[in-house]
Amino acid sequence: MAEIQQQADSGKGGKKRAKKMSTKIDMTPMVDLAFLLLTFFMLTTTFSKPTVMQLNMPVKPKDNDDPSVIKASNAFTVLLGENNKIYYYDGLLDGTVKPELVASSYDANGIRKTLLQRRQANPEVVVLIKPVDKSNYKNMVDILDEMNITDQKKYALVDISKADEDLIKTSGL
Amino acid sequence: MPKVKPHRTSPSLDMTPMVDLAFLLVTFFMLTTKFAPEEAVVVDTPSSTSEIRLPESHVITISVDKDKRVFFGMDDAKPKLDLLTRVGAKYGVSFSAAQAKTFSNLSSFGVPVQQLPDFLSRDNEQRKAIRQPGIPADSLNNQFIDWVVEAQAASRKEFGKPAYIAIKGDGNADVPTVKKVIQLLQDKNINRFNLITDLESKPVAGK
């Protein structure tokens, strides 16, 4: 560390000569300070900007346009339930047909596998994503992310219908 | 014969180049650092595998937190003044120059326009203590969409192009609120959304 300049004992009393002070300054504290500041700025600097996920919604149909109809054989519906639950069924839901609801999960062997299988079996598949009102935004982002991972050509965020909610209730999953 | 003493050099190093280097780096970091702006609300974004980066400038950030509150933020200071006068004129609220200056420094806010002058005239500490109710965004009192539309107009006037709209939702935010925001924007023919997320690694195939 910094050494203290010793008062040089001139053993003999005698002529007092002006002592030559050394012009050397101890730089160690200066370096300490500099590196302290340096580390502070290095740690507070954010190098990474957040990423964004793009979501394209369909353009609102004009009043005289018919909404596009999906063939039941091409439809695959994913329901996002509350408490991070996720279900899916094939085909469409209407008054006569009751599709079988299957519970799934967000991990790699859950919905992702199913989505990949559906796409291999039928390249025309359209995925309808219906979040329940009590589901959270994280689930929505996760499932949209799965769409990107499994490279789905067509998918849409759709409002949930009463029938879908009843299906979840009655299935008891 | 007296012994020849080896000349002992003192073990102190010359630190000057070290200091030079250190201060060079320090000044570099000081000049390049942009401090993270203070957000009105802490939002914990979910993660996704998307690798598109958020643009550096001209971004409008719409934050949705877990209590269904909607916040509006814009990063360009200049169109913000324009935006404030426009929205103020629409609702018959006027702002002093000092309030407008404070507003251009705010990164995001979530109060109805009627309470905004009072909110802006407080100092920083008080402003942090206030619990902001969020911007009204329902069919009866839809100030939120006015902010977005006017911000786009101000941005077009200033830079010749509309700003980039990013939605920053909390992982625990509820879907209806986010969907409501999306629907409001769709009513204004904005159909491409950018959801701010954290980066997570892509799953490896064959797993």
Side-chain angles (χ1 to χ4, degrees):
Chain A
M1 287 312 283
E3 62 269 15
I4 297 158
Q5 295 271 333
Q6 290 283 347
Q7 192 74 18
D9 251 347
S10 52
K12 321 176 197 68
K15 250 191 285 173
K16 273 213 177 104
R17 197 180 293 148
K19 234 186 269 100
K20 252 206 201 148
M21 287 296 285
S22 83
T23 48
K24 275 218 170 69
I25 307 167
D26 187 13
M27 286 274 192
T28 323
M30 188 93 141
V31 176
D32 286 352
L33 175 75
F35 273 96
L36 183 78
L37 286 171
L38 179 61
T39 43
F40 169 75
F41 279 104
M42 275 172 102
L43 292 175
T44 51
T45 306
T46 44
F47 282 108
S48 58
K49 298 283 291 178
T51 54
V52 294
M53 190 168 76
Q54 299 220 313
L55 168 66
N56 293 322
M57 295 295 274
V59 178
K60 272 181 82 138
K62 303 265 190 309
D63 291 337
N64 49 13
D65 279 4
D66 282 336
S68 54
V69 177
I70 307 168
K71 279 206 317 219
S73 58
N74 289 342
F76 177 74
T77 306
V78 180
L79 298 175
L80 310 181
E82 50 189 319
N83 303 331
N84 301 332
K85 283 182 180 156
I86 181 166
Y87 316 95
Y88 64 85
Y89 62 82
D90 292 296
L92 291 169
L93 185 64
D94 50 32
T96 53
V97 190
K98 268 268 188 280
E100 190 197 353
L101 191 72
V102 185
S104 184
S105 69
Y106 286 101
D107 55 41
N109 289 328
I111 193 76
R112 189 176 308 165
K113 244 186 169 152
T114 318
L115 284 166
L116 285 169
Q117 276 168 4
R118 291 293 180 283
R119 216 192 69 218
Q120 275 166 352
N122 177 8
E124 299 284 294
V125 74
V126 178
V127 184
L128 301 172
I129 301 166
K130 301 186 182 181
V132 176
D133 283 352
K134 282 183 180 160
S135 61
N136 65 23
Y137 173 72
K138 183 177 183 304
N139 295 156
M140 190 175 110
V141 170
D142 279 346
I143 193 71
L144 289 171
D145 201 27
E146 291 297 333
M147 296 294 132
N148 289 335
I149 293 168
T150 55
D151 194 21
Q152 296 293 338
K153 300 277 180 298
K154 280 184 97 167
Y155 58 90
L157 265 176
V158 191
D159 288 330
I160 193 148
S161 64
K162 188 87 184 66
D164 288 311
E165 286 181 1
D166 291 344
L167 187 67
I168 293 178
K169 277 203 188 81
T170 52
S171 69
L173 288 170
Chain B
M1 279 282 279
K3 246 195 237 166
V4 182
K5 266 197 198 151
H7 185 67
R8 260 208 258 148
T9 49
S10 75
S12 69
L13 284 173
D14 187 12
M15 284 279 190
T16 323
M18 188 92 140
V19 175
D20 286 353
L21 174 77
F23 271 98
L24 183 78
L25 288 171
V26 168
T27 43
F28 170 75
F29 277 106
M30 271 171 105
L31 293 174
T32 53
T33 304
K34 222 173 148 183
F35 278 104
E38 241 180 73
E39 291 292 335
V41 59
V42 179
V43 171
D44 183 14
T45 52
S47 56
S48 82
T49 58
S50 169
E51 286 173 5
I52 309 164
R53 294 255 172 240
L54 189 69
E56 292 280 328
S57 56
H58 314 329
V59 182
I60 291 175
T61 313
I62 297 161
S63 311
V64 180
D65 83 337
K66 53 183 183 294
D67 306 329
K68 305 190 182 196
R69 293 183 295 167
V70 179
F71 291 78
F72 177 89
M74 192 173 178
D75 63 348
D76 299 306
K78 249 181 110 176
K80 255 179 153 167
L81 298 172
D82 192 17
L83 161 70
L84 189 65
T85 45
R86 281 175 192 229
V87 178
K90 195 159 185 170
Y91 286 95
V93 182
S94 58
F95 297 91
S96 67
Q99 285 169 351
K101 191 172 180 306
T102 314
F103 181 76
S104 65
N105 291 334
L106 275 186
S107 68
S108 61
F109 69 95
V111 286
V113 70
Q114 289 83 359
Q115 296 169 26
L116 203 53
D118 174 55
F119 178 74
L120 291 174
S121 43
R122 293 172 188 275
D123 60 31
N124 270 332
E125 290 307 311
Q126 281 178 307
R127 212 174 301 126
K128 266 182 228 163
I130 295 174
R131 187 183 151 80
Q132 303 184 28
I135 298 172
D138 45 48
S139 48
L140 292 174
N141 183 4
N142 198 342
Q143 293 176 11
F144 161 75
I145 200 71
D146 288 325
W147 283 108
V148 175
V149 171
E150 295 299 341
Q152 292 291 55
S155 177
R156 253 192 223 104
K157 198 174 125 191
E158 186 72 34
F159 307 109
K161 60 168 195 268
Y164 183 97
I165 295 186
I167 297 177
K168 188 173 182 181
D170 192 284
N172 293 319
D174 57 340
V175 171
T177 310
V178 178
K179 274 182 106 164
K180 185 177 73 182
V181 168
I182 288 179
Q183 259 157 13
L184 287 173
L185 294 172
Q186 277 191 286
D187 290 344
K188 296 290 172 197
N189 281 331
I190 299 168
N191 288 311
R192 169 172 272 193
F193 302 98
N194 304 288
L195 309 177
I196 296 185
T197 55
D198 292 338
L199 189 62
E200 71 175 58
S201 52
K202 266 212 184 327
V204 185
K207 254 191 176 175

